[in-house]
Amino acid sequence: MGFCVAVFASGGGSNFQALVDHAIEYSVELLVTNRPNVGALQRAERLEIPAQVIVPASYKNEELYSKAVIQLLEQQRIDLIALAGYLSKISAQLIHDFSGPILNIHPSLLPRFGGKGLYGKHVHQAVIDAKETTSGATVHIVDEEYDTGPIILQESIPVLGNDTPDSLALRVLNIEHQLYPKVINLFAQKRVKLTGRHATILPSLHDH
Ligand code: GRF
């Protein structure tokens, strides 16, 4: 049995698509969304990947919500959850109940430009307003706060003088599409070692 990944998305799902397209050591076996009629759902249908709409607010409490999600994850034998533009907070209960890693991708160089309210275009606007000369993408472990979990890998790009939030978002998104599958391939190969908050990438066996 290979390494199975569930992607949680609330939007267009371009990262979901990239995770499917660049899967080498893992396979994407499930899409979960909190919103009906999103682009990610259409992509799942086209890709013939099972998809489920789960609206957290429709459950009486966090425990029941977490139970429903865990049951679904177990059915598909999911080893890792990848949040990709998932705009709903993952409850502490679910973090506690799921035995594998939960990752997120954020379109800035965390810890800069993260936290509540800093999502989508707001991130890139803040980067431009702060006159930053570099930005990028970060893959990190999800903890109970927004964007504060241990950083696994980052990739940076220059911010150009004439960048708008849209142009910067587009270039960062291109980076995300490379970075996220790369990190999940590393997890599938058991090459990510976490010591406290510090992640080390272990060399590939083929490097010897
Ligand atoms: C990405 O920029 C991601 O970093 C952020 O939300 C966006 C999702 O885009 N968390 P998509 O739905 O994957 O196209």
Side-chain angles (χ1 to χ4, degrees), residues 34-161:
N34 58 332
R35 291 182 181 163
N37 311 318
V38 290
L41 272 177
Q42 289 158 17
R43 289 185 198 262
E45 203 178 331
R46 245 181 283 140
L47 294 162
E48 296 181 8
I49 291 174
Q52 195 85 32
V53 181
I54 300 188
V55 183
S58 68
Y59 292 84
K60 257 202 185 132
N61 56 45
E62 270 196 8
E63 204 178 321
L64 289 174
Y65 161 74
S66 174
K67 262 205 179 133
V69 176
I70 292 287
Q71 195 182 20
L72 188 63
L73 297 172
E74 281 175 357
Q75 269 167 20
Q76 306 289 336
R77 300 179 193 283
I78 298 300
D79 297 295
L80 178 148
I81 299 174
L83 308 186
Y86 186 65
L87 296 176
S88 169
K89 202 171 183 192
I90 293 292
S91 70
Q93 181 84 36
L94 183 56
I95 294 173
H96 175 265
D97 293 348
F98 182 61
S99 56
I102 306 179
L103 303 182
N104 181 41
I105 189 153
H106 184 80
S108 79
L109 296 173
L110 291 175
R112 308 266 291 142
F113 307 104
K116 200 164 194 235
L118 282 170
Y119 61 89
K121 252 184 230 168
H122 302 291
V123 177
H124 306 293
Q125 185 68 61
V127 168
I128 289 169
D129 289 349
K131 302 201 177 352
E132 295 290 313
T133 54
T134 51
S135 190
T138 302
V139 176
H140 66 94
I141 302 265
V142 172
D143 64 11
E144 288 162 27
E145 302 302 319
Y146 283 106
D147 305 327
T148 56
I151 290 171
I152 306 297
L153 216 56
Q154 298 185 300
E155 183 137 354
S156 54
I157 54 159
V159 179
L160 308 177

Side-chain angles (χ1 to χ4, degrees), residues 107 120-121 124 128 157 163-176:
K121 252 184 230 168
H124 306 293
I128 289 169
I157 54 159
D163 258 329
T164 62
D166 281 333
S167 67
L168 184 55
L170 203 64
R171 292 209 319 289
V172 171
L173 200 57
N174 276 323
I175 297 292
E176 294 180 43

